[in-house]
Amino acid sequence: MTPPDDASTNEVQTYSDVLIVDASKSSGWLDLPELWRYRDLIWIFAVRDIKVRYRQTIVGIAWTVLQPLAQMLAFGVLKKMLVSEPSDGRIPDDVSMFCGLLLYQLFSGIIATATISLVDNRLVVTKVYFPRVALPLSCCIRPVLDFGVGFVVLILLMLWFQVAPGFAFIMAPVVLLLTVLVGLAFGLWLSALNAHYRDFGYIVPFLLQLGLIVSPVAYESSRVPEGWRWFYFMNPMATLLDTFRWTILGTPLPGWDAITVSVLSTLFLLVSGAWYFHRVDRFMADNI
C-alpha cells in the first residue's frame, strides 16, 4: 500500500539532510558561518571542561586564586632578597606581580588546555563530524572564567594597598581580548602539532614555565637592555603584560615600537596557526 503523500514528503525530507565531508575540497581556513552553527557545541565542550576540572576537589575554583597567590609570595620573597628597592615608587611589588601572574595564568591556561584538546577528544574526532577548531576555541572559556575570579582578588589587593586605577582602566578588556587571541594562536599551532607528535604534550608545560621567567611577570620590561628590546618584544606577552599594568595600575605605557612588534607577531601567529590547523584538520581523523 502506498503511504500518504505527507508521509512520503517527510521521508524525503529526513533523508535529504545528509552532510558529505570531502577532505580533498577546501572550504577556507576558517569557516565562520559553520562555527556559528556549532556555537552550542563549543559551549558544551567548555562547560564540560569546567565541570571536570573542579569535580571532586576540596578547594574548588579557589585553586585559580591560590596558584598566583603562592607564586606572588615566592617571587616576592626572592625579589626582596635580591633587590633593595621596589620596582615602582608608588605601586607595591605584590600588586604588580599578582597583576602580571593573573594575565599570564590566562595565557598559559588557554595554551595548556588547547594543546591536548584534540588528543583528549580523539574518540569524538574520529567518529563524529564537527569543525575541529571548536575544541581549541572552547578552551578559551574556562581560563577567562578563572581570570574573572582572580580579578576580584586583584581588586581586593588594590583596595588593601590603596591603589586606585586610572582612566586607562577602560582599555583593560581590549588587553584581555588580545591575550585570549595570543593564547588561541599558540593553541592552534600546538594542538595541531600535538595531534601528530605527542612530544608537544610534554614540552608545552616546560615552555610555559620558561615563559613565566622570560616574560615581565615578576619584573618590569624597563630593566631589559635597550639593545635587546626589539627582540624581547617579539614575545607578544611582554607588551601585553606591561600594557595590562598600565590599564590597571597606571604604570608607564610601553613604547609604540614595542606595541607594533607585538601586534605584528600576534597577527603572524594567528594567521599561520589557522593555516596550519586547517592543513592538518583535513586528514586529522585518520592520523590522530
Side-chain angles (χ1 to χ4, degrees):
M1 183 176 68
T2 303
D5 293 339
D6 55 344
S8 301
T9 303
N10 291 336
E11 184 177 358
V12 172
Q13 291 177 346
T14 301
Y15 286 97
S16 65
D17 296 334
V18 178
L19 178 63
I20 300 175
V21 181
D22 189 352
S24 64
K25 296 181 179 180
S26 175
S27 60
W29 292 1
L30 205 60
D31 192 344
L32 295 179
E34 184 182 40
L35 282 177
W36 178 252
R37 291 196 301 270
Y38 283 88
R39 61 189 183 278
D40 292 336
L41 180 64
I42 297 175
W43 178 250
I44 290 172
F45 280 138
V47 172
R48 183 203 58 181
D49 291 343
I50 294 172
K51 291 181 179 178
V52 169
R53 177 177 174 85
Y54 300 114
R55 182 183 299 166
Q56 294 181 327
T57 58
I58 297 176
V59 181
I61 201 171
W63 283 116
T64 63
V65 179
L66 293 177
Q67 180 178 351
L69 280 176
Q71 292 173 329
M72 179 193 73
L73 293 174
F75 279 128
V77 172
L78 182 62
K79 199 168 186 178
K80 285 180 173 59
M81 293 172 60
L82 299 177
V83 182
S84 58
E85 59 183 13
S87 302
D88 189 278
R90 61 185 182 85
I91 304 298
D93 283 346
D94 292 338
V95 179
S96 178
M97 279 189 289
F98 189 83
C99 190
L101 287 166
L102 191 61
L103 193 71
Y104 190 82
Q105 180 178 265
L106 169 64
F107 167 73
S108 61
I110 293 174
I111 292 179
T113 52
T115 299
I116 60 175
S117 60
L118 295 174
V119 174
D120 285 353
N121 294 277
R122 57 184 175 272
L123 295 179
V124 181
V125 170
T126 56
K127 295 182 183 300
V128 181
Y129 172 78
F130 62 94
R132 316 295 191 217
V133 73
L135 287 169
L137 276 175
S138 67
C139 295
C140 299
I141 298 178
R142 181 187 58 77
V144 171
L145 174 64
D146 295 345
F147 176 87
V149 176
F151 192 77
V152 175
V153 179
L154 176 61
I155 296 299
L156 295 177
L157 280 175
M158 293 173 64
L159 291 174
W160 177 264
F161 287 101
Q162 298 180 350
V163 178
F167 181 75
F169 184 80
I170 61 175
M171 297 298 296
V174 178
V175 180
L176 176 63
L177 176 61
L178 291 175
T179 305
V180 172
L181 290 178
V182 173
L184 178 61
F186 280 102
L188 290 174
W189 266 107
L190 294 170
S191 60
L193 287 169
N194 191 50
H196 288 272
Y197 311 105
R198 299 295 194 271
D199 308 62
F200 285 90
Y202 303 99
I203 296 174
V204 167
F206 166 74
L207 293 179
L208 291 176
Q209 290 296 325
L210 183 63
L212 187 64
I213 300 173
V214 301
S215 299
V217 176
Y219 59 91
E220 290 72 33
S221 60
S222 58
R223 302 194 176 194
V224 179
E226 189 69 29
W228 287 94
R229 288 196 180 185
W230 68 270
F231 178 75
Y232 182 78
F233 283 110
M234 290 184 69
N235 170 15
M237 286 305 298
T239 304
L240 288 174
L241 285 164
D242 283 347
T243 307
F244 186 62
R245 288 193 178 98
W246 169 70
T247 62
I248 303 297
L249 306 177
T251 56
L253 178 69
W256 287 107
D257 54 343
I259 295 176
T260 302
V261 172
S262 180
V263 170
L264 290 177
S265 59
T266 299
L267 290 176
F268 172 77
L269 285 170
L270 193 59
V271 173
S272 61
W275 167 81
Y276 183 72
F277 191 95
H278 172 70
R279 181 182 177 184
V280 173
D281 183 25
R282 297 172 61 187
F283 308 101
M284 186 177 297
D286 299 326
N287 299 326
I288 192 171

